[in-house]
């Protein structure tokens, strides 16, 4: 087949701050990358970091229609650049996890009858019963979480059924809040999608099913039977099972591209769509991991995750059905204060320069002379606490640190927390564990060195920061070709080892972790916290 005809696979990532599209060929070579950034490409929606934080500081939403308009812009941009839509044979995608989209009654018909003469956002303008989608940064549903836990027999029981105790951002709790506080809007809701299945709906011109892996982030799915849990559904809203629709395995082909895409952008009528999933499950596919690898994804949120052969119920962290092999699982812990906090410290302490930030990291000692900072700019997930705190080597609170100390403190405390909670979730990290780093901050070698020192293990990167979009390309190929995932990723670039732990690091961070844990506990007890802690 000559290059003009070769098959192409498209992977989309509807993330918090942008939509990213990556296209690969059969050799897994990236042939196109296009992005639309919400804050700058769609300034009319006045989002910051892609979101609206409401006055109560805990309710966080994004206008659903903005995502639709951003997708129009993305496709228009690719068309203007002469992108060969007709060579795409399969598409899959990812969405920020847990966020929910509420389609108004009658919108299924609109989706099925889209005309190529108008854009998607013009036609879907009135398609949402709740125009602002609650997203993963939302922390307004503590009361609903406790109610759900109580109704199923407690937090551990909920974790046993759904893979997680009640978490504020989890979709079931968000749905419960809406069904209780906005009953008339809930009533006229025809379908509730996750961000991932909402995005897939735009491609197939119909409501797309939720996949098992992203569906595990809702506190609604029984991750053992792989069916909606009747008890959880009942607790969260009336008639919920019909509003959610059926679920599918993450590698299932859910349809072909819509007539709208064929007519307006010249997509190939035989181009298939594989179920979309969450951004973290898609990233798992994108790093082509081996069993036992620990993955650390450094983005708007930081997440640590790994591939598990079996599940256990814990109060910390989460278990999802594995997006690559639905007979296995993936574990994950998510931290809300990730790259935006690092960026704030870079701006305040390193004159806005990542080079200067890195120099400070290189020129300060491991352990930061005993200084520990804790940086929860927004309400953290674990612990459920907010604020910025500085402690000297005697654990006394101090008001601030010199700039270089502050830079090291933010990275050290973030990475200590990542490792500590990862171990609490049952993910093991030994000196031989491969830490695969991905996401924006994985480009910064000085940060990677701190990760290696804190984790006491070698850190690897491949030069692909968009693992969720790339993983979506791999998942498209996997779903279409029906082969083993290991065959799909055979020519995935081998990750390069970029950092190994420095001598003495293990002891320094062992001691520091004990102190960090105790300090974090005092904060959690003194700030706005989960009623259980
Ligand atoms: C995972 O549980 C999260 O909440 C986040 O990582 C979102 O998926 C970010 F998009």
């Amino acid at each position: 087949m000559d290059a003009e005809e070769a098959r192409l696979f498209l992977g989309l990532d509807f993330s918090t701050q942008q939509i990213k599209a990556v296209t690969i060929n059969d050799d897994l070579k990236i042939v196109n990358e296009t992005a639309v950034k919400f804050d700058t490409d769609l300034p009319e929606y006045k989002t910051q970091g892609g979101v609206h934080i409401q006055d109560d500081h805990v309710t966080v939403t994004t206008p659903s229609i903005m995502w639709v308009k951003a997708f129009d812009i993305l496709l228009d941009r690719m068309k203007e650049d002469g992108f060969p839509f007709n060579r795409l044979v399969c598409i899959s995608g990812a969405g920020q996890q847990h966020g929910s989209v509420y389609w108004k009654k009658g919108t299924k018909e609109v989706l099925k009858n889209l005309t190529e003469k108008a854009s998607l956002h013009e036609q879907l303008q009135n398609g949402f019963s709740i125009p602002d989608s609650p997203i993963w940064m939302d922390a307004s549903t503590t009361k609903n979480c406790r109610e759900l836990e109580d109704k199923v027999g407690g937090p551990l029981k909920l974790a046993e059924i759904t893979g997680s105790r009640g978490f504020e951002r989890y979709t079931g709790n968000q749905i419960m809040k809406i069904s209780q506080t906005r009953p008339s809007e809930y009533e006229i809701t025809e379908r509730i999608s996750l961000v991932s299945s909402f995005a897939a709906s735009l491609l197939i011109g119909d409501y797309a099913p939720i996949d098992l892996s992203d569906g595990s982030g809702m506190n609604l799915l029984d991750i053992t039977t792989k069916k909606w849990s009747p008890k959880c559904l009942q607790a969260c809203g009336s008639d919920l099972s019909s509003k959610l629709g059926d679920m599918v395995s993450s590698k299932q082909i859910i349809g072909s591209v819509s007539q709208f895409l064929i007519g307006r952008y010249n997509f190939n009528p035989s181009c298939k769509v594989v179920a979309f999933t969450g951004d973290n499950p898609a990233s798992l596919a994108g790093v082509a991991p081996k069993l036992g690898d620990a993955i650390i994804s450094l983005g708007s949120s930081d997440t640590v995750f790994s591939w598990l052969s079996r599940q256990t119920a814990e109060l910390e962290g989460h278990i999802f059905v594995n997006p690559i092999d639905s007979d296995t699982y993936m574990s994950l812990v998510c931290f809300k204060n990730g790259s935006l906090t690092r960026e704030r410290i870079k701006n305040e302490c390193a004159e806005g320069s990542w080079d200067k930030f890195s120099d400070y990291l290189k020129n300060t000692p491991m352990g930061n002379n005993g200084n520990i900072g804790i940086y929860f700019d927004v309400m953290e997930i674990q612990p459920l606490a907010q604020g910025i705190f500085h402690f000297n080597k005697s654990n006394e609170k101090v008001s601030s640190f010199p700039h270089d100390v502050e830079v090291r403190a933010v990275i050290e405390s973030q990475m200590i927390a990542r490792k500590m909670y990862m171990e609490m979730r049952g993910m093991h990290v030994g000196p031989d564990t491969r830490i695969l780093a991905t996401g924006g901050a994985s480009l910064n070698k000085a940060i990677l060195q701190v990760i290696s020192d804190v984790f006491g293990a070698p850190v690897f990167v491949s030069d692909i920061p968009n693992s969720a979009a790339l993983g979506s390309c791999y998942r498209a190929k996997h779903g279409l070709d029906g082969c083993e995932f290991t065959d799909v990723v055979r020519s995935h670039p081998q990750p390069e080892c970029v950092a190994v732990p420095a001598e003495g690091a293990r002891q320094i961070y062992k001691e520091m972790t004990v102190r960090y844990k105790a300090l974090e506990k005092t904060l959690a007890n003194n700030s706005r916290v989960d009623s259980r802690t």
Side-chain angles (χ1 to χ4, degrees):
M1 200 184 293
D2 72 28
E4 296 293 293
E5 293 166 14
R7 305 194 307 169
L8 297 179
F9 300 86
L10 173 65
L12 295 165
D13 179 19
F14 281 61
S15 72
T16 315
Q17 306 192 32
Q18 62 174 340
I19 303 181
K20 178 97 204 189
V22 170
T23 308
I24 61 165
N25 62 18
D26 259 311
D27 301 327
L28 314 190
K29 290 242 155 47
I30 295 178
V31 298
N32 181 274
E33 286 185 83
T34 308
V36 173
K37 296 202 159 79
F38 304 136
D39 293 358
T40 46
D41 288 317
L42 296 116
E44 64 274 31
Y45 292 98
K46 297 188 171 55
T47 55
Q48 278 186 344
V51 309
H52 292 148
I53 301 181
Q54 312 296 336
D55 291 344
D56 63 2
H57 301 291
V58 286
T59 304
V60 186
T61 59
T62 295
S64 319
I65 196 69
M66 181 185 80
W67 291 326
V68 179
K69 193 165 177 188
F71 189 49
D72 282 326
I73 297 175
L74 181 92
L75 292 173
D76 288 343
R77 248 178 221 174
M78 291 169 80
K79 185 175 173 178
E80 274 160 32
D81 291 348
F83 182 83
F85 287 112
N86 61 335
R87 281 174 47 206
L88 290 174
V89 290
C90 197
I91 303 169
S92 192
Q96 50 170 300
Q97 296 200 258
H98 320 294
S100 40
V101 176
Y102 298 78
W103 303 92
K104 199 194 281 176
K105 276 190 181 147
T107 309
K108 182 179 172 78
E109 280 311 299
V110 179
L111 275 173
K112 289 181 108 166
N113 294 297
L114 291 167
T115 160
E116 63 191 73
K117 298 202 176 68
S119 63
L120 285 171
H121 84 273
E122 283 163 330
Q123 299 181 71
L124 293 169
Q125 198 66 246
N126 298 316
F128 304 103
S129 48
I130 304 279
D132 292 304
S133 288
I135 65 145
W136 66 275
M137 293 164 85
D138 188 282
S140 67
T141 63
T142 304
K143 165 181 155 305
N144 308 93
C145 294
R146 298 299 84 82
E147 189 175 329
L148 177 58
E149 288 171 347
D150 288 349
K151 285 199 170 140
V152 303
L156 198 58
K157 185 71 196 164
L158 185 61
E160 222 175 276
I161 302 170
T162 70
S164 304
R165 65 162 165 90
F167 279 90
E168 279 73 5
R169 67 196 191 288
Y170 268 49
T171 327
N173 308 303
Q174 296 290 341
I175 294 174
M176 189 201 289
K177 176 182 158 191
I178 285 177
S179 74
Q180 291 176 352
T181 57
R182 301 171 75 175
S184 46
E185 287 103 320
Y186 180 78
E187 171 59 32
I188 57 158
T189 300
E190 184 167 65
R191 177 58 68 104
I192 302 173
S193 295
L194 290 176
V195 178
S196 56
S197 59
F198 148 82
S201 307
L202 301 179
L203 285 162
I204 62 171
D206 197 353
Y207 293 146
I210 291 174
D211 77 294
L212 287 172
S213 193
D214 208 15
S216 313
M218 301 173 79
N219 278 148
L220 291 177
L221 171 73
D222 181 326
I223 61 167
T224 311
T225 62
K226 314 221 164 63
K227 298 212 166 28
W228 297 122
S229 151
K231 269 193 189 163
C232 296
L233 288 185
Q234 208 183 1
C236 292
S238 62
D239 196 23
L240 190 48
S241 119
S242 79
K243 288 189 199 296
L244 292 170
D246 290 336
M247 316 201 59
V248 291
S249 125
S250 309
K251 64 174 187 203
Q252 183 156 321
I253 294 177
I254 55 165
S256 301
V257 288
S258 67
Q259 283 302 325
F260 168 86
L261 291 177
I262 298 166
R264 194 167 163 104
Y265 295 101
N266 195 29
F267 276 72
N268 193 318
S270 62
C271 176
K272 301 286 183 243
V273 178
V274 163
F276 280 31
T277 190
D279 53 0
N280 293 297
S283 284
L284 181 79
V287 297
K290 296 193 196 124
L291 202 67
D293 287 342
I295 298 122
I296 175 158
S297 165
L298 303 163
S300 305
S301 63
D302 284 353
T303 53
V304 286
F305 49 91
S306 68
W307 184 320
L308 289 185
S309 44
R310 58 188 183 85
Q311 46 145 324
T312 51
E314 308 276 351
L315 290 179
E316 294 302 345
H318 319 288
I319 298 286
F320 301 144
V321 175
N322 192 308
I324 299 164
D325 167 9
S326 48
D327 291 332
T328 63
Y329 295 90
M330 70 178 274
S331 53
L332 176 138
V333 189
C334 174
F335 303 84
K336 263 198 222 168
N337 294 284
S339 64
L340 295 179
T341 303
R342 289 187 286 273
E343 247 170 78
R344 177 178 68 73
I345 300 291
K346 175 216 38 161
N347 292 338
E348 288 173 8
C349 299
E351 295 159 27
S353 152
W354 282 118
D355 287 342
K356 186 148 198 164
F357 188 96
S358 302
D359 285 345
Y360 280 156
L361 278 180
K362 285 181 212 147
N363 296 326
T364 42
M366 286 188 293
N368 219 2
N369 293 320
N371 296 299
I372 294 183
I374 299 185
Y375 304 82
F376 299 149
D377 287 5
V378 294
M379 183 73 80
E380 190 44 87
I381 295 168
Q382 57 279 300
L384 193 66
Q386 188 168 7
I388 314 295
F389 311 90
H390 300 92
F391 300 93
N392 65 17
K393 64 173 191 252
S394 314
N395 294 340
E396 291 155 352
K397 267 196 180 166
V398 292
S399 57
S400 63
F401 288 152
H403 285 172
D404 55 343
V405 176
E406 187 93 298
V407 163
R408 175 162 280 276
V410 70
I411 302 298
E412 283 189 341
S413 69
Q414 286 188 335
M415 297 314 146
I416 288 172
R418 309 303 174 251
K419 177 166 189 247
M420 190 175 97
Y421 282 101
M422 190 166 176
E423 291 183 334
M424 280 157 99
R425 174 63 264 184
M427 291 183 255
H428 170 75
V429 184
D432 298 328
T433 306
R434 288 200 315 174
I435 310 280
L436 302 181
T438 175
S442 66
L443 300 171
N444 185 315
K445 289 246 162 86
I447 294 180
L448 297 174
Q449 183 59 51
V450 179
I451 297 178
S452 182
D453 293 338
V454 171
F455 279 71
V459 174
F460 293 75
V461 286
S462 28
D463 60 353
I464 305 145
N466 303 302
S467 53
L470 183 70
S472 301
C473 297
Y474 293 170
R475 293 183 53 256
K477 191 161 156 51
H478 186 213
L480 185 74
D481 291 351
C483 52
E484 292 292 323
F485 190 75
T486 41
D487 290 333
V488 173
V489 294
R490 211 164 282 287
S491 50
H492 174 82
Q494 277 309 310
E496 189 198 339
C497 180
V498 287
V500 291
E503 215 175 306
R506 186 169 286 274
Q507 193 53 29
I508 289 175
Y509 290 110
K510 197 172 156 200
E511 287 165 15
M512 212 166 175
T513 303
V514 174
R515 281 184 58 214
Y516 176 88
K517 193 172 189 170
L519 290 171
E520 202 196 70
K521 204 156 183 195
T522 62
L523 299 186
N525 289 335
N526 290 323
S527 53
R528 301 181 53 180
V529 286
D530 177 334
S531 52
R532 263 193 319 270
T533 44

